């Protein structure tokens, strides 16, 4: 979707080595779909390359609402090995959302700060060695934004990064989160490389949004947030790589993952790239591809 990101990786180990990918070509700006509902035909979804593990990240902007707009049908068609969801707005796990026969390993992190807010979930066909939620520190963990899973050869960090808020009222909280995340990633990388994915709520460079000139003090594109993301990519043990931008350095509109509902932003291609796969540099060679499913639109604003 605009905002749905898929990735595949080498699955040669019992727990697949994670890299990111599917088909490697993105639509040109002039051909970016502008449908307002989910497709009824998913024939455009290519099967993951043999031996790869497909990871999907998707900000659903209310899982209950998304289910009424084609979410489940999309998941069936995409058939990811690991599905990472953000902004579920679920107050408790939705026990019958996806079959435990298909996804036996399901983890939810729901907001305790307020009901119907934020929230993350991860569904995996592959058994993780270990699962944790949050950083282990209050109050930064009270909004249900972080799930970390350890597999044989990598850590998967699935998260929904806090928005800086209207008039940047939460920018300070966002900076605290970013600092905590860098510490978290560095600690994980002491043992295994990391895949850091989800709605990271930042358009890193001017190519990552339609109207950079008028948004320098908008949440997600402030100098503070962009610099902080650069610091995250710099890494501690080794650099981290924005996988889509590495593979598609010049792609603009076709890489956007968020279109606001107001002002017909989707139809006008006024989007932002807020959803990412960031990988520790040692994993980069295993990335088969990263795709933005911009045909799959309507179940969310991502």
């Amino acid at each position: 979707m605009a905002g749905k990101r898929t990735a595949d990786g080498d699955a040669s180990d019992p727990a697949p080595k994670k890299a990111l990918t599917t088909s490697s070509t993105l639509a040109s700006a002039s051909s970016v779909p502008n449908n307002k509902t989910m497709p009824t035909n998913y024939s455009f979804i290519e099967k993951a390359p043999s031996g790869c593990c497909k990871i999907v990240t998707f900000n659903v902007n209310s899982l209950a609402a998304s289910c009424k707009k084609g979410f489940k049908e999309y998941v069936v068609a995409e058939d990811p090995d690991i599905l990472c969801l953000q902004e579920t707005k679920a107050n408790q796990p939705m026990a019958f959302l996806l079959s435990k026969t298909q996804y036996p390993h399901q983890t939810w992190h729901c907001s305790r700060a307020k009901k119907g807010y934020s929230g993350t979930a991860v569904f995996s066909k592959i058994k993780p060695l270990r699962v944790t939620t949050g950083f282990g520190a209050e109050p930064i963990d009270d909004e249900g934004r972080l799930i970390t899973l350890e597999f044989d050869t990598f850590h998967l960090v699935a998260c929904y990064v806090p928005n800086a808020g209207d008039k940047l009222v939460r920018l300070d909280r966002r900076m605290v989160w970013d600092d905590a995340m860098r510490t978290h990633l560095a600690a994980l990388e002491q043992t295994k490389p990391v895949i850091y994915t989800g709605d990271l709520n930042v358009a890193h460079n001017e190519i990552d949004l339609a109207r950079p000139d008028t948004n320098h003090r908008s949440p997600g594109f402030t100098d503070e947030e962009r610099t902080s993301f650069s610091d995250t990519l710099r890494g501690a043990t080794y650099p981290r790589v924005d996988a889509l931008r590495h593979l598609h350095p010049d792609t603009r509109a076709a890489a956007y993952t968020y279109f606001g509902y107001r002002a017909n932003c989707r139809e006008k291609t006024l989007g932002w790239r807020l959803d990412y796969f960031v990988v520790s540099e040692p994993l980069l060679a295993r990335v088969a591809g990263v795709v933005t499913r911009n045909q799959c639109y309507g179940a969310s604003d991502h």
Side-chain angles (χ1 to χ4, degrees), residues 1-5 57-59 256-258 275 292-293 302:
M1 322 198 122
K4 161 144 321 112
R5 240 342 128 64
T57 182
F58 186 11
N59 179 320
Y256 296 160
T257 66
Y258 167 79
D275 306 78
T292 301
R293 291 282 189 228
H302 286 248

Side-chain angles (χ1 to χ4, degrees), residues 154-196:
F154 65 94
H155 298 280
L156 177 65
V157 177
C159 76
Y160 177 34
V161 173
N163 187 287
D166 291 341
K167 299 182 180 179
L168 306 179
V169 296
R170 285 165 56 95
L171 182 58
D172 288 347
R173 182 184 177 96
R174 166 62 181 269
M175 294 297 100
V176 170
W177 168 278
D178 285 356
D179 285 342
M181 179 55 71
R182 282 189 286 272
T183 299
H184 184 58
L185 295 174
L188 295 173
E189 287 173 332
Q190 293 299 309
T191 58
K192 297 173 185 178
V194 169
I195 297 170
Y196 175 37

Side-chain angles (χ1 to χ4, degrees), residues 56-266:
V56 167
T57 182
F58 186 11
N59 179 320
V60 292
N61 189 23
S62 174
L63 190 49
S66 188
C67 285
K68 298 174 183 177
K69 301 175 183 178
F71 166 79
K72 288 186 177 181
E73 291 79 3
Y74 162 74
V75 173
V76 169
E78 188 73 72
D79 191 28
D81 296 294
I82 301 175
L83 173 64
C84 307
L85 303 181
Q86 303 88 46
E87 205 171 357
T88 63
K89 299 185 180 180
N91 298 322
Q92 59 188 11
M94 297 171 66
F96 301 104
L97 178 70
L98 298 176
S99 167
K100 287 196 173 183
T101 300
Q102 184 179 18
Y103 291 102
H105 311 289
Q106 304 187 7
T107 306
W108 296 77
H109 192 200
C110 301
S111 172
R112 298 188 304 276
K114 56 184 176 181
K115 292 184 177 180
Y117 180 72
S118 188
T120 49
V122 176
F123 302 82
S124 179
K125 297 178 180 179
I126 305 155
K127 184 178 181 179
L129 303 177
R130 183 170 181 261
V131 179
T132 60
T133 57
F135 295 113
E138 296 290 351
I140 198 170
D141 284 342
D142 65 359
E143 293 179 351
R145 294 182 177 274
L146 174 63
I147 299 172
T148 302
L149 303 95
E150 179 183 1
F151 294 95
D152 279 358
T153 58
F154 65 94
H155 298 280
L156 177 65
V157 177
C159 76
Y160 177 34
V161 173
N163 187 287
D166 291 341
K167 299 182 180 179
L168 306 179
V169 296
R170 285 165 56 95
L171 182 58
D172 288 347
R173 182 184 177 96
R174 166 62 181 269
M175 294 297 100
V176 170
W177 168 278
D178 285 356
D179 285 342
M181 179 55 71
R182 282 189 286 272
T183 299
H184 184 58
L185 295 174
L188 295 173
E189 287 173 332
Q190 293 299 309
T191 58
K192 297 173 185 178
V194 169
I195 297 170
Y196 175 37
T197 188
D199 180 351
L200 305 191
N201 252 323
V202 63
H204 188 208
N205 294 305
E206 292 194 352
I207 194 174
D208 295 318
L209 73 166
R211 292 181 173 173
D213 292 345
T214 59
N215 280 293
H216 281 278
R217 294 311 293 168
S218 296
F221 196 62
T222 63
D223 291 345
E224 293 92 331
E225 291 165 292
R226 296 167 64 200
T227 299
S228 182
F229 190 64
S230 293
D231 291 342
T232 299
L233 293 180
R234 194 168 295 116
T237 305
Y238 28 65
R240 304 179 188 114
V241 181
D242 172 355
L244 180 132
R245 191 53 71 204
H246 174 79
L247 294 170
H248 306 284
D250 302 318
T251 298
R252 194 173 193 122
Y256 296 160
T257 66
Y258 167 79
F259 296 87
Y261 284 134
R262 290 177 289 184
N264 293 319
C265 288
R266 177 73 174 181

